[in-house]
Amino acid sequence: FRRSYQTGFLTKVVDDVFHKNLERFGAFTITPVDEFWKPLELGKSFDLGEPVCFEAKAPRSSGNLRLYLNSCFVSASPSFPHMETHTVVHNAGCLVDSENSTVTKFYPGPDKTTVRLCIEAFLFKSMLLMPADNKNLFLHCELDLGPENPMSKAKSCTYDAHSKKWTELYGQDLVCECCDSTCPIARA
């Protein structure tokens, strides 16, 4: 028996069963890469302001799906939440860090299940006096497979300082109009 003490409705339990096949896609990966999109060797360091590039990949999937980075932030800790963070991607795929740096941008991958991005190397103020071998930063991202054609709740938008506009990775810039306000969020 189910009872509700809210006014206006009475819950009725129905014994219907709904089956949906779940697709298993495997593991998503984010790999630090060099300017030729090859994986970095262990221990590579960067100078402040230099581009630091990453390649995010979804497992090969059936259908016309595309990989999206919904949100990404950098922290000084491999686990999150962390007190000190820097937002890179926000608002369902807006590369907000590109508003501050021309180095920061999305790049097309070999297919639409790969997203490449570069950000400008930086340090948190609290790290300035630390020894060089302790100055590690970690990129945390929420990834999603979605429709091949972007929409305002699934996109890859970079701010172009020259045109003062947001541009979508594959040219459908209209979906980026919400990057300066609040974009709708995809619901599971």
Side-chain angles (χ1 to χ4, degrees), residues 13-33:
V13 177
V14 179
D15 287 335
D16 286 344
V17 177
F18 177 74
H19 294 280
K20 173 147 174 59
N21 292 330
L22 297 176
E23 292 183 56
R24 185 179 176 111
F25 293 110
F28 291 90
T29 60
I30 299 178
T31 307
V33 294

Side-chain angles (χ1 to χ4, degrees), residues 44-82:
K44 168 79 168 125
S45 62
F46 296 90
D47 293 329
L48 293 177
E50 191 177 6
V52 181
C53 300
F54 298 90
E55 184 174 74
K57 286 186 176 188
R60 297 277 179 216
S61 62
S62 59
N64 295 328
L65 296 176
R66 178 175 160 188
L67 179 64
Y68 295 97
L69 303 180
N70 295 331
S71 64
C72 294
F73 67 91
V74 176
S75 78
S77 170
S79 59
F80 67 94
H82 191 266

Side-chain angles (χ1 to χ4, degrees), residues 23-177:
E23 292 183 56
R24 185 179 176 111
F25 293 110
F28 291 90
T29 60
I30 299 178
T31 307
V33 294
D34 63 19
E35 65 272 14
F36 303 107
W37 309 110
K38 302 291 182 210
L40 287 180
E41 70 273 3
L42 231 59
K44 168 79 168 125
S45 62
F46 296 90
D47 293 329
L48 293 177
E50 191 177 6
V52 181
C53 300
F54 298 90
E55 184 174 74
K57 286 186 176 188
R60 297 277 179 216
S61 62
S62 59
N64 295 328
L65 296 176
R66 178 175 160 188
L67 179 64
Y68 295 97
L69 303 180
N70 295 331
S71 64
C72 294
F73 67 91
V74 176
S75 78
S77 170
S79 59
F80 67 94
H82 191 266
M83 296 304 285
E84 200 168 24
T85 62
H86 175 73
T87 302
V88 176
V89 179
H90 182 63
N91 215 359
C94 301
L95 188 58
V96 294
D97 196 49
S98 62
E99 290 183 286
N100 305 317
S101 168
T102 56
V103 170
T104 302
K105 59 176 93 175
F106 281 119
Y107 293 89
D111 56 51
K112 291 192 177 178
T113 59
T114 301
V115 175
R116 294 170 169 170
L117 80 145
C118 293
I119 62 174
E120 188 174 325
F122 71 94
L123 283 177
F124 292 112
K125 283 183 182 180
S126 63
M127 301 175 82
L128 292 176
L129 299 175
M130 295 171 66
D133 59 339
N134 286 345
K135 292 180 182 178
N136 295 318
L137 293 174
F138 300 87
L139 181 69
H140 307 269
C141 291
E142 178 187 301
L143 305 143
D144 195 14
L145 278 173
E148 189 172 10
N149 292 321
M151 43 191 165
S152 58
K153 61 184 174 182
K155 59 197 172 301
S156 300
C157 299
T158 300
Y159 186 75
D160 181 0
H162 300 296
S163 67
K164 297 189 183 330
K165 291 182 179 179
W166 287 94
T167 58
E168 212 284 326
L169 182 59
Y170 292 104
Q172 298 178 11
D173 300 342
L174 200 58
V175 298
C176 300
E177 286 183 348

